[in-house]
Amino acid sequence: MSPLPEAELVRSSVQLYRYLLRCCRRLPPGPVQQHYRHAIRQSFKVHADEDDPVRIQQIIKRAIEDADWVMNK
């Protein structure tokens, strides 16, 4: 089960970014939410120059799995 029902529709990095920020809104407000919002932004900065489509899809898949884990813990 995905954190939000739109997970299967995520195909691009911009869609992933918006999806992950929407997931953050479901976390408790305060330091936890701020931590994950910051981590999402930093991760996108680190991977901004990625141009291999296969690698991008791997990153998207892993990010959705990680978001699922965070939302369920």
Side-chain angles (χ1 to χ4, degrees), residues 7-25:
E8 63 275 354
L9 302 176
V10 174
R11 299 283 181 249
S12 71
S13 56
V14 173
Q15 289 173 333
L16 176 64
Y17 186 75
R18 294 182 70 200
Y19 172 79
L20 293 174
L21 290 178
R22 282 194 302 272
C23 286
C24 277
R25 288 188 214 143

Side-chain angles (χ1 to χ4, degrees), residues 12-68:
S12 71
S13 56
V14 173
Q15 289 173 333
L16 176 64
Y17 186 75
R18 294 182 70 200
Y19 172 79
L20 293 174
L21 290 178
R22 282 194 302 272
C23 286
C24 277
R25 288 188 214 143
R26 297 176 61 196
L27 295 171
V32 172
Q33 198 177 73
Q34 290 173 357
H35 168 77
Y36 284 107
R37 288 177 63 89
H38 178 73
I40 291 166
R41 287 187 185 112
Q42 290 302 102
S43 181
F44 273 83
K45 288 178 184 177
V46 167
H47 296 291
D49 61 346
E50 187 66 58
D51 58 357
D52 179 18
V54 174
R55 178 70 180 131
I56 292 171
Q57 290 306 311
Q58 289 173 340
I59 293 168
I60 289 171
K61 183 178 182 283
R62 179 61 192 253
I64 291 172
E65 290 171 356
D66 290 348
D68 188 27

